[in-house]
């Protein structure tokens, strides 16, 4: 009995840790962007989840259509999204509910670059990325 409960505790804490790992890596990544953003703009002191939210929901006209990050990722980044062109489901963007997010930094960079270019016509700044991740980390569970 004792052996089983120890094994169970080990198992539980391992799963808690791995669920944590991507919130952790999202924090790390947000801090990396924060560092870059501060180096570029000393006026910028800290994350603003509020600015991240505004950025996420801001509609921009792309090829005559109003599009925002929220168009595919929904207004709540903890909810599953849907691609507006292909109709394909998209798993939630927030690392709070989707442990696979922000786990692979190369993938995150690649997605940022391609989506930012698609939507706003340029890569996002470090400040925008830092705020964006800070906002995703505040997302409510659905
Ligand atoms: C036209 C639909 C669409 C729009 C608009 C869109 N995305 Fe995405 N996004 C996707 C899809 C599809 C994926 C990848 C699906 C997956 O990994 O499950 C994704 C994934 C991402 C990821 C990867 C996160 C990770 O670690 O896996 C980031 C970051 C991201 N999007 C940021 C943005 C930002 C910032 C905007 C607004 C500037 C935006 N997206 C707008 C469709 C979209």
């Amino acid at each position: 009995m004792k052996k089983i409960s120890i094994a169970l505790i080990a198992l539980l804490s391992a799963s808690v840790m791995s669920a944590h790992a991507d919130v952790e890596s999202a924090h790390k990544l947000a801090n990396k962007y924060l560092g870059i953003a501060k180096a570029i703009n000393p006026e910028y002191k800290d994350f603003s989840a509020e600015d991240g939210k505004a950025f996420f929901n801001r509609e921009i006209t792309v090829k005559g259509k109003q599009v925002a990050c929220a168009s595919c990722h929904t207004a709540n980044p903890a909810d599953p999204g849907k691609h507006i062109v292909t109709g394909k489901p998209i798993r939630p963007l927030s690392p709070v509910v989707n442990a696979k997010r922000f786990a692979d930094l190369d993938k995150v960079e690649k997605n940022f670059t391609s989506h930012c270019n698609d939507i706003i016509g340029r890569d996002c700044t470090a400040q925008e990325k830092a705020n964006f991740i800070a906002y995703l980390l505040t997302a409510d569970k659905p």
Side-chain angles (χ1 to χ4, degrees):
M1 183 62 202
K2 201 170 176 205
K3 251 190 189 151
I4 291 172
S5 58
I6 289 171
L8 199 67
I9 287 166
L11 200 74
L12 283 175
S13 55
S15 67
V16 166
M17 270 170 67
S18 66
H20 237 86
D22 301 293
V23 170
E24 286 288 304
S25 63
H27 272 292
K28 268 194 203 141
L29 187 62
N31 275 311
K32 192 180 118 191
Y33 288 130
L34 179 66
I36 299 169
K38 278 181 177 169
I40 296 170
N41 177 8
E43 303 273 295
Y44 181 65
K45 298 270 186 274
D46 205 358
F47 304 110
S48 165
E50 214 170 280
D51 286 358
K53 184 177 183 181
F55 173 79
F56 187 76
N57 291 295
R58 189 176 64 202
E59 289 197 323
I60 293 164
T61 310
V62 182
K63 295 184 191 141
K65 268 195 192 160
Q66 293 285 98
V67 189
C69 307
S71 305
C72 291
H73 293 296
T74 82
N76 178 359
D79 284 342
K82 189 174 160 205
H83 196 287
I84 46 168
V85 179
T86 64
K88 279 195 187 153
I90 304 172
R91 289 179 306 268
L93 201 53
S94 171
V96 177
V97 293
N98 182 352
K100 293 216 168 73
R101 292 297 180 205
F102 301 99
D104 176 346
L105 302 194
D106 286 344
K107 184 180 159 203
V108 174
E109 265 297 294
K110 219 177 86 201
N111 274 293
F112 261 136
T113 305
S114 86
H115 294 186
C116 293
N117 275 301
D118 280 355
I119 308 301
I120 59 177
R122 60 164 172 82
D123 199 359
C124 297
T125 65
Q127 184 171 333
E128 285 166 337
K129 291 176 188 173
N131 290 341
F132 180 74
I133 299 173
Y135 167 57
L136 295 185
L137 284 166
T138 67
D140 287 332
K141 306 211 168 196

